[in-house]
Amino acid sequence: LDTDPHAILNWEEQEFYIKWKGQSYLHCQWLALSDLSQLSGFKKVLNYMKKVEEERNTRQALSREEAELHDVSKEMELELLKQYRQVERVFADRS
């Protein structure tokens, strides 16, 4: 996706990286919106599109300084999420 909030976003030209339920990441596929519309999980794609549109509209309303502050806080949130993946201690080992 284009990160410029003023760029025109055409969802028909976008492809989505789909991870299939019950299958490994080896089976992920890039699919167009038209291919996804017939699937049962299409609501998740619509929710993602709505979230992206809301984020873009929010960024358009912000000044340059506010947008930079918003980006910094988003990066801090992502870094915090990465910390949850770090192992603090191991209680047992299967060796």
Side-chain angles (χ1 to χ4, degrees):
L1 287 175
D2 192 351
T3 56
D4 179 15
H6 302 289
I8 297 172
L9 185 58
N10 185 359
W11 288 110
E12 298 301 322
E13 295 177 2
Q14 298 295 324
E15 288 187 330
F16 298 86
Y17 194 60
I18 304 300
K19 187 331 187 153
W20 299 105
K21 186 176 181 179
Q23 295 187 353
S24 73
Y25 283 93
L26 295 173
H27 301 286
C28 292
Q29 293 178 318
W30 286 98
L31 295 174
L33 184 63
S34 59
D35 298 330
L36 297 172
S37 61
Q38 302 119 21
L39 302 176
S40 61
F42 187 61
K43 181 74 173 162
K44 288 186 179 187
V45 176
L46 293 177
N47 289 340
Y48 170 76
M49 292 167 51
K50 182 180 175 184
K51 181 178 83 169
V52 169
E53 288 291 343
E54 287 174 357
E55 180 74 22
R56 289 171 55 90
N57 291 339
T58 302
R59 282 192 55 81
Q60 284 179 347
L62 298 176
S63 68
R64 173 170 268 157
E65 293 82 17
E66 291 171 330
E68 187 175 336
L69 181 63
H70 182 262
D71 291 343
V72 169
S73 65
K74 278 282 200 189
E75 282 192 39
M76 289 174 64
E77 287 177 21
L78 291 174
E79 287 297 320
L80 186 61
L81 288 175
K82 286 180 185 178
Q83 288 180 0
Y84 289 122
R85 296 184 201 150
Q86 292 178 349
V87 177
E88 291 183 14
R89 64 186 107 132
V90 177
F91 292 106
D93 190 6
R94 291 187 179 188
S95 32

